[in-house]
Amino acid sequence: MKSRRPGASPVAATVSLRKDSPPAVELSGAAPFRRVLVANRGEIALRIIRACHDLGMEAVAVFSDADAGAGHVRAADAAVRLGPAPAAESYLRGDAIIEAALRTGSEAIHPGYGFLAERASFARVVEEAGLAFVGPSSEAIAAVGDKLAARRLARAAGVPVVPGTLEPAAVDRPDALAAILTDADDIGFPLFVKASSGGGGRGMRRVTAREELPAALAAGSAEALAAFGDGAVYLEREVRPARHVEVQLLGDAAGTIVALGERDCSIQRRHQKLVEESPAPGLTATERADLHDLAVRVARAAGLTNAATAEFLFDEDRRFWFLEVNTRLQVEHGVTELTCGIDLVREQLLIAAGRPLSEASLASAVRAATPGLHAIEVRLSAEDPARSFGPVAGRIGRWSMPAGPGVRVDTAIEAGDRIPPDYDSLIAKLMVVDVDRDAAIRRLGRVLDEVEVTGIQTTLPFHRFLAGHSTFRAAQLSTDWVADEWEPAMEAERAAALAIASSVAAAAAAGGTIPGDTIGAAPPRIAPPPALESGWLRAGREADIDRWPPR
């Protein structure tokens, strides 16, 4: 990644403004703002910076000490240090971010996703500072940021919600336990204890029987309090099997709200997404139109503006159940952009400046129920999929990303970059688009074959497994896919590795000859079972040993 001016580095000082930024360009009028501060890091910060430059605006980056030389910092017109690596001392410091915006003359703050993006209190302080918050208003965020409030709002709007409670469980009142147990019996088991605030599965506990509920309530509430500062939890029926389907929404200050299609995000681990595609496969045009209508009704009831996403479960009886609203740009927004032809970040910036929804957005919404393209995104993360997707840190060796027709890669990583342990493990989003789902899957297989990353473990083996799997190709999707397909495959690989190790050990103990052994040579290194040296993974190693570095 090159600086926009040779030799210029926005990291040279706490604040460094470049003098060679391009003039504002005419895109539906003047550029919406002169300068925008991007309150995030990594690929999403770089994505927003590029959108600012496309609109002829300057972009200000913020960074922690761990990101002083990061790609998003080098691409910006200015950069401001926030503090040490821990997010609590840098990217979560709303006061420091607003101070940076005011010092650099920024007129707006784009929060990206994660960190402060869905905190109504932060959006309110931004607004009170006289800056534009590029996202829904603080009032709208507050209205649906609490999942219980969102459930009540959706039900009042006539939108089906997953059966469960609508008020927080009184976990601090022993005398209320009997009533909570009665509610649980009415909902039915299995069910979930879920946190009213936050996301990412924090505070969530699956409960299969009545006697498990008291402990699950206490544990879920404690985790939610530690993660979000709010220990409120509620009960919700487990809908299973089910698919996770979400609708992309855009709304302007005049009250116009549209749906730009839906995404299927069913392939998950620990309630966090691994793969997303648009449109959701297997829906009829009528089902799509009905789903989009439900999402718009929730958004209108909440007074949503800018970009948001309404999330639903789709059960085996083909019913949609409202889950929650995300009042921000989603990680997977790119697949919607590829299928509808709309730059969502550009739309966000224009809406934040008071512009109405673009004609292109309105036209795209009309076509949303009958999409003409199919896009798939896989999240390439610094995680070990053979060890429960545990995060890893380290330094990137070789870094080669795919290219060609219908391919998009969103990343801020380069060869030699260090992946710090302080932040989310996402390092790149690999997207493909083609005329239909079958063609998109074939293109995805080609793209995954072109990827080359060394130095750290990534989720690439999982994605290759998925792209070639018959159930994925047949669109037999559910939130249990990883547990049903990937985890059994890993168990089979471990069993094969154990069998190899056992036979070699037995041969050595009996004084026999180990295949490949020679006089005077060191005994063969037997990898521990988790290394998974058999089957498809061994073939991948033989193709390029560095793609899955040996332990």
Side-chain angles (χ1 to χ4, degrees):
M1 186 121 6
K2 303 296 185 184
S3 294
R4 297 182 64 221
R5 185 181 68 198
S9 172
V11 191
T14 302
V15 180
S16 173
L17 292 175
R18 294 180 182 156
K19 305 300 183 183
D20 62 343
S21 297
V25 295
E26 293 292 325
L27 288 168
S28 301
F33 304 101
R34 177 170 173 265
R35 186 174 296 141
V36 176
L37 183 139
V38 182
N40 217 294
R41 67 179 298 276
E43 60 84 19
I44 188 56
L46 182 58
R47 165 76 180 89
I48 297 166
I49 289 167
R50 286 170 169 160
C52 289
H53 290 163
D54 286 346
L55 282 166
M57 302 184 300
E58 295 178 346
V60 178
V62 292
F63 64 94
S64 71
D65 290 343
D67 286 336
H72 76 280
V73 176
R74 300 197 304 275
D77 302 285
V80 181
R81 177 185 178 273
L82 294 176
E89 301 176 47
S90 52
Y91 295 107
L92 290 174
R93 286 194 57 200
D95 58 336
I97 289 170
I98 291 173
E99 179 187 356
L102 296 174
R103 288 174 60 199
T104 57
S106 299
E107 299 168 330
I109 293 178
H110 196 311
Y113 51 70
F115 294 134
L116 299 171
E118 291 183 279
R119 295 200 183 182
S121 58
F122 176 67
R124 187 175 304 112
V125 175
V126 172
E127 295 161 353
E128 291 171 350
L131 303 169
F133 182 77
V134 186
S137 67
S138 58
E139 291 84 0
I141 296 174
V144 293
D146 180 292
K147 293 186 180 66
L148 281 170
R151 284 167 58 81
R152 293 191 293 267
L153 183 146
R155 192 171 77 162
V159 176
V161 300
V162 178
T165 54
L166 296 173
E167 299 295 336
V171 294
D172 56 343
R173 288 178 45 203
D175 62 309
L177 180 59
I180 297 173
L181 289 170
T182 298
D183 287 340
D185 290 336
D186 291 341
I187 295 167
F189 294 92
L191 55 77
F192 286 109
V193 171
K194 298 183 74 173
S196 181
S197 299
R202 305 296 290 276
M204 183 184 292
R205 295 292 185 276
R206 184 172 185 263
V207 181
T208 60
R210 203 172 193 264
E211 57 271 18
E212 299 173 7
L213 186 57
L217 287 166
S221 178
E223 184 179 23
L225 181 63
F228 313 121
D230 180 1
V233 293
Y234 63 99
L235 307 182
E236 185 177 273
R237 178 188 296 171
E238 180 184 53
V239 179
R240 191 174 188 179
R243 289 165 57 184
H244 185 142
V245 182
E246 61 187 28
V247 179
Q248 178 64 59
L249 298 161
L250 276 182
D252 62 23
T256 303
I257 300 174
V258 298
L260 296 181
E262 80 289 341
R263 300 179 288 257
D264 190 300
C265 307
S266 301
I267 308 298
Q268 306 177 1
R269 64 13 182 161
R270 298 191 302 276
H271 308 289
Q272 295 181 337
K273 303 164 187 173
L274 289 163
V275 179
E276 303 93 2
E277 55 183 304
S278 180
L283 299 188
T284 66
T286 299
E287 286 173 330
R288 285 197 176 92
D290 290 344
L291 172 62
H292 299 170
D293 177 64
L294 293 175
V296 169
R297 283 157 62 184
V298 172
R300 184 167 291 118
L304 280 170
T305 56
N306 213 277
T309 299
E311 303 201 358
F312 295 82
L313 290 178
F314 184 49
D315 70 16
E316 58 185 348
D317 294 321
R318 306 191 74 80
R319 296 174 297 181
F320 292 104
W321 300 96
F322 172 78
L323 277 176
E324 60 183 311
V325 174
N326 291 315
T327 52
R328 56 170 168 81
L329 189 70
Q330 293 281 83
V331 175
E332 58 275 13
H333 71 277
V335 291
T336 295
E337 293 182 325
L338 289 173
T339 54
C340 75
I342 303 298
D343 184 332
L344 292 174
V345 178
R346 176 182 292 185
E347 291 289 323
Q348 282 193 291
L349 291 162
L350 294 170
I351 292 169
R355 309 282 179 84
L357 286 179
S358 68
E359 291 297 325
S361 292
L362 297 174
S364 180
V366 173
R367 303 188 300 268
T370 55
L373 296 170
H374 197 96
I376 304 174
E377 171 185 288
V378 301
R379 300 190 190 188
L380 187 65
S381 297
E383 297 176 357
D384 191 338
R387 293 173 174 78
S388 301
F389 294 91
V392 298
R395 191 171 297 280
I396 299 287
R398 290 199 299 277
W399 177 264
S400 179
M401 290 292 106
V407 178
R408 170 174 162 180
V409 179
D410 283 10
T411 185
I413 296 295
E414 294 180 350
D417 282 355
R418 178 179 175 272
I419 307 302
D422 309 278
Y423 312 115
D424 186 85
S425 56
L426 178 66
I427 55 176
K429 298 184 300 190
L430 312 179
M431 289 168 267
V432 297
V433 64
D434 215 317
V435 293
D436 57 33
R437 189 172 189 268
D438 288 343
I441 291 175
R442 288 193 297 271
R443 178 162 283 168
L444 178 64
R446 185 266 292 178
V447 160
L448 294 172
D449 283 344
E450 289 184 8
V451 174
E452 188 174 8
V453 180
T454 68
I456 62 166
Q457 182 59 64
T458 73
T459 51
L460 183 59
F462 168 81
H463 294 307
R464 287 176 172 158
F465 174 87
L466 171 120
H469 202 283
S470 60
T471 59
F472 177 74
R473 289 177 171 269
Q476 296 172 8
L477 309 175
S478 84
T479 54
D480 292 322
W481 196 93
V482 171
D484 291 344
E485 306 295 349
W486 172 257
E487 291 176 3
M490 290 299 91
E491 288 303 317
E493 291 288 343
R494 291 186 182 96
L498 281 169
I500 293 171
S502 177
S503 63
V504 170
T513 301
I514 301 173
D517 199 10
T518 57
I519 301 297
R525 182 178 77 81
I526 303 301
L532 309 176
E533 292 283 5
S534 62
W536 61 270
L537 185 52
R538 182 175 59 190
R541 272 188 193 267
E542 291 168 352
D544 186 343
I545 192 70
D546 284 330
R547 289 191 178 186
W548 191 303
R551 302 279 193 293

